[in-house]
């Protein structure tokens, strides 16, 4: 059985949520956190890490939020699960 860390699980949940909301320009961390009953601070950190990895894009401001980034040639699943469990800052 495959066991994921909480952060990896939250990263996959967020990416799935954003993929299902492709028609919306962006989605806030708060909306995703509330949808899945995850602490907002933790979801924000997970989303920020996904942005740094290039899997998500973010916009600031009152209408800001997160959206899926460009797809890379490497497996997004492998990259997100490996890096979201990485202990380095």
């Amino acid at each position: 059985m495959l066991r994921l860390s909480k952060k990896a699980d939250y990263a996959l949940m967020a990416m799935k949520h954003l993929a299902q909301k492709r028609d919306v320009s962006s989605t806030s961390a708060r909306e995703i956190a509330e949808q899945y009953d995850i602490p907002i601070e933790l979801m924000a950190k997970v989303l920020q890490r996904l942005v740094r990895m290039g899997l998500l894009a973010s916009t600031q401001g009152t209408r800001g939020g997160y959206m899926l980034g460009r797809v890379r040639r490497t497996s997004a699943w492998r990259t997100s699960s490996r890096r979201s469990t990485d202990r380095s800052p």
Side-chain angles (χ1 to χ4, degrees):
M1 183 169 130
L2 178 66
R3 295 187 49 95
L4 299 174
S5 70
K6 281 187 180 183
K7 286 183 182 179
D9 192 34
Y10 294 162
L12 292 173
M13 291 165 63
M15 291 181 69
K16 177 185 172 210
H17 182 87
L18 292 169
Q20 292 174 335
K21 300 259 184 177
R22 283 256 245 206
D23 56 330
V24 179
S25 61
S26 63
T27 304
S28 70
R30 181 175 304 281
E31 178 184 331
I32 299 170
E34 288 175 354
Q35 175 76 32
Y36 298 101
D37 197 29
I38 299 168
I40 181 71
E41 298 83 9
L42 181 55
M43 179 54 69
K45 287 180 183 180
V46 168
L47 292 171
Q48 290 167 1
R49 180 167 277 185
L50 291 172
V51 168
R52 285 194 306 269
M53 292 168 44
L55 297 173
L56 299 182
S58 65
T59 55
Q60 295 181 348
T62 56
R63 300 230 186 258
Y66 297 89
M67 64 210 79
L68 290 178
R70 293 184 163 228
V71 178
R72 296 182 182 177
R73 290 190 69 119
T74 60
S75 168
W77 155 256
R78 186 179 334 139
T79 303
S80 65
S81 65
R82 179 183 48 205
R83 289 191 178 168
S84 65
T85 59
D86 185 18
R87 303 244 183 230
S88 64

